[in-house]
Amino acid sequence: MAAKPGIPKGTRDFSPVEMAKRNYIFNTIRDVYHLYGFQQIETPSMEMLSTLMGKYGEEGDKLLFKIQNSGDYFSGITDEELLSRNAAKLASKFCEKGLRYDLTVPFARYVVMHRDEITFPFKRYQIQPVWRADRPQKGRYREFYQCDADVVGSDSLLNEVELMQIVDTVFTRFGIRVCIKINNRKILTGIAEIIGEADKIVDITVAIDKLDKIGLDNVNKELAEKGISEEAIAKLQPIILLSGTNAEKLATLKTVLSDSETGLKGVEESEFILNTLQTMGLKNEIELDLTLARGLNYYTGAIFEVKALDVQIGSITGGGRYDNLTGVFGMAGVSGVGISFGADRIFDVLNLLELYPKEAVNGTQLLFINFGEKEAAFSMGILSKARAAGIRAEIFPDAAKMKKQMSYANVKNIPFVAIVGENEMNEGKAMLKNMESGEQQLVTAEELIGALTK
């Protein structure tokens, strides 16, 4: 007996219904990106390892899926090297390519390679899968999609404003209530400076980023374990617990960070973004959140994160401003700002809140029952007109029992069935059945099209 087939851990098959839902997500995001002047690019699934290695830190390098060279990959390798069993060293000899880990590094490579063809500022979006050799668990996969949009070659804060408008528009279209959280790397740098721990900025922000999860006492304990003085931790308390409106927080920060030029610059940038957005009539809440950190080694200015308000789930969108995106590839001085929608988490939120519109999930709108050759030939004429009018329609391919054909319609949630027998053909019409109400009416092709395109 043949072994039962399987798929690699951390990957998934998607059913037609799941694909309809996923395409609803991708198409909604894509439509909004287009509204704001972003253009789509795609990059290969695999990149040269020299492009990927060293860009994600030591842990990231371990999570890269490497692709074995084709042909005689033993050539050029000594017996001594083989017997050493040094996996990392051998992988560098066996493998020249790897699957992309994210869309950002390939985008940086793209900008450098195509710099002479690109008009700056360059507004690009990309919706493609990425791969990570991570340990699979609930909500974490080895293959998943990212939906990125970036503007490179411009320092203007209007880019940040527009990205927040995109976030607001996308989640308003989905019907998901969210809180858009915003912070600035420069504010965090300023905080570290004024408490006298400038060199501990990463430790400080990694700890305060956990405030919601582990509570204030445990955050303070972690700070102490990282060697931050009691005096500095005491100075940090009113900043961590800063409350009030965005305007009140900004006013307090101007006083607290008065001795930090970098910190005040961050406050100024945040104030511009928030004040400009206030005039744009956002549908969702936007909050200045000083505990937001997001990968500080990477971001250099504004940072964003989006939380769903009606579901307990992690961040569903994130992003921020980064400087020198392309510097690692020898093209210095290209600043950018970007966002990434978490399609898999958005999928879960829409499922939990039952927010998928019916038309997004249902495929076929109309099924023609097949009673035989003559009836099928007559039905095909009406079917062609229905499709020309944009109605998603099909005919059952075999003249099977009526019960089987109606069962097919029910399983596929097809809302209308067209029945064409001898009587209907004599009148040049079809019997249209509403599968939900059970109502039936004899209609011409034009009437049928009218009923389904209301």
Side-chain angles (χ1 to χ4, degrees):
M1 185 176 168
K4 190 178 177 182
I7 58 173
K9 283 184 180 177
T11 65
R12 295 160 289 170
D13 288 325
F14 295 106
S15 70
V17 170
E18 288 169 326
M19 279 310 305
K21 290 179 176 181
R22 286 166 68 80
N23 284 330
Y24 167 66
I25 293 169
F26 296 144
N27 291 339
T28 301
I29 293 169
R30 185 181 287 111
D31 288 347
V32 176
Y33 282 160
H34 286 161
L35 272 182
Y36 285 80
F38 285 77
Q39 295 177 297
Q40 186 173 17
I41 68 163
E42 287 197 350
T43 58
S45 299
M46 55 182 162
E47 295 274 351
M48 301 304 294
L49 277 177
S50 55
T51 298
L52 302 173
M53 295 288 284
K55 311 303 187 301
Y56 309 105
E58 195 176 327
E59 283 305 304
D61 282 352
K62 290 177 185 173
L63 299 180
L64 287 171
F65 273 111
K66 299 173 180 69
I67 299 170
Q68 184 176 286
N69 295 341
S70 53
D72 182 9
Y73 50 82
F74 281 109
S75 63
I77 298 176
T78 65
D79 289 349
E80 190 180 346
E81 284 171 327
L82 280 172
L83 292 169
S84 73
R85 302 177 71 86
N86 184 323
K89 194 173 180 182
L90 286 171
S92 68
K93 301 260 187 172
F94 284 162
C95 310
E96 292 174 352
K97 298 173 285 293
L99 294 177
R100 60 169 173 252
Y101 178 91
D102 71 355
L103 299 178
T104 304
V105 168
F107 174 50
R109 190 264 311 147
Y110 178 95
V111 170
V112 173
M113 282 186 68
H114 298 271
R115 69 180 94 181
D116 295 333
E117 307 153 32
I118 291 172
T119 301
F120 292 100
F122 182 40
K123 300 171 78 169
R124 90 74 167 91
Y125 78 88
Q126 222 172 323
I127 300 175
Q128 287 187 274
V130 299
W131 293 268
R132 296 181 185 179
D134 217 338
R135 188 168 64 84
Q137 52 188 285
K138 186 174 171 57
R140 181 176 290 176
Y141 304 101
R142 286 176 167 172
E143 178 184 61
F144 56 96
Y145 268 74
Q146 290 187 338
C147 308
D148 287 14
D150 290 81
V151 187
V152 295
S154 169
D155 296 323
S156 171
L157 293 172
L158 286 178
N159 296 313
E160 278 84 337
V161 169
E162 286 212 324
L163 288 173
M164 294 305 91
Q165 287 180 280
I166 285 173
V167 168
D168 183 66
T169 306
V170 165
F171 287 111
T172 299
R173 289 192 178 191
F174 284 143
I176 299 172
R177 294 191 319 120
V178 298
C179 177
I180 304 167
K181 294 177 179 284
I182 181 173
N183 198 8
N184 196 295
R185 164 70 193 262
K186 296 182 181 80
I187 291 177
L188 294 167
T189 301
I191 290 169
E193 283 176 8
I194 59 115
I195 66 169
E197 298 281 3
D199 60 327
K200 295 282 180 67
I201 175 140
V202 174
D203 291 332
I204 292 168
T205 50
V206 165
I208 65 174
D209 199 28
K210 299 175 186 171
L211 185 64
D212 286 348
K213 293 175 188 167
I214 64 175
L216 184 60
D217 290 344
N218 286 321
V219 166
N220 290 336
K221 184 181 172 188
E222 186 170 321
L223 289 166
E225 286 169 357
K226 293 293 184 181
I228 292 156
S229 70
E230 282 184 35
E231 185 187 356
I233 293 172
K235 282 183 183 175
L236 198 54
Q237 299 311 290
I239 300 168
I240 294 176
L241 299 172
L242 191 61
S243 60
T245 65
N246 291 332
E248 288 166 347
K249 289 176 185 176
L250 288 166
T252 304
L253 283 171
K254 283 177 186 175
T255 305
V256 171
L257 298 175
S258 58
D259 292 333
S260 170
E261 188 181 337
T262 303
L264 288 176
K265 180 67 176 166
V267 174
E268 181 190 321
E269 290 179 4
S270 300
E271 190 168 38
F272 175 86
I273 295 166
L274 290 166
N275 287 349
T276 308
L277 286 169
Q278 204 168 8
T279 67
M280 299 292 171
L282 295 190
K283 304 287 193 299
N284 290 284
E285 178 189 350
I286 185 156
E287 176 195 343
L288 179 64
D289 181 357
L290 297 185
T291 67
L292 176 61
R294 284 199 70 80
L296 277 180
N297 291 333
Y298 185 70
Y299 294 111
T300 54
I303 44 180
F304 330 106
E305 200 162 271
V306 179
K307 299 276 188 182
L309 295 177
D310 300 317
V311 173
Q312 283 292 104
I313 199 166
S315 162
I316 53 178
T317 297
R321 165 73 64 173
Y322 42 81
D323 290 328
N324 206 18
L325 166 79
T326 53
V328 289
F329 298 117
M331 183 182 171
V334 178
S335 178
V337 59
I339 53 170
S340 183
F341 287 93
D344 293 289
R345 284 185 175 175
I346 292 169
F347 179 90
D348 292 340
V349 172
L350 289 170
N351 267 338
L352 288 165
L353 299 177
E354 297 182 347
L355 289 174
Y356 286 103
K358 265 187 181 179
E359 61 272 18
V361 179
N362 290 347
T364 302
Q365 296 167 274
L366 173 66
L367 173 72
F368 281 82
I369 299 297
N370 186 341
F371 287 120
E373 277 186 40
K374 281 192 298 180
E375 293 87 345
F378 180 88
S379 297
M380 290 294 282
I382 305 175
L383 178 63
S384 296
K385 289 178 182 176
R387 285 174 177 158
I391 295 166
R392 300 185 299 278
E394 59 180 292
I395 185 168
F396 200 84
D398 306 301
K401 287 182 180 176
M402 180 83 160
K403 185 180 177 183
K404 181 177 181 179
Q405 298 189 49
M406 295 299 276
S407 173
Y408 176 84
N410 281 323
V411 170
K412 287 191 71 176
N413 288 315
I414 299 172
F416 290 93
V417 164
I419 300 165
V420 176
E422 197 169 327
N423 292 339
E424 287 81 14
M425 284 195 296
N426 288 339
E427 294 196 44
K429 295 182 179 180
M431 186 67 73
L432 183 65
K433 179 172 183 175
N434 183 318
M435 294 293 282
E436 195 172 327
S437 67
E439 286 179 28
Q440 294 188 172
Q441 55 179 323
L442 196 62
V443 292
T444 63
E446 289 69 29
E447 289 168 339
L448 179 147
I449 289 165
L452 267 79
T453 53
K454 273 180 188 175

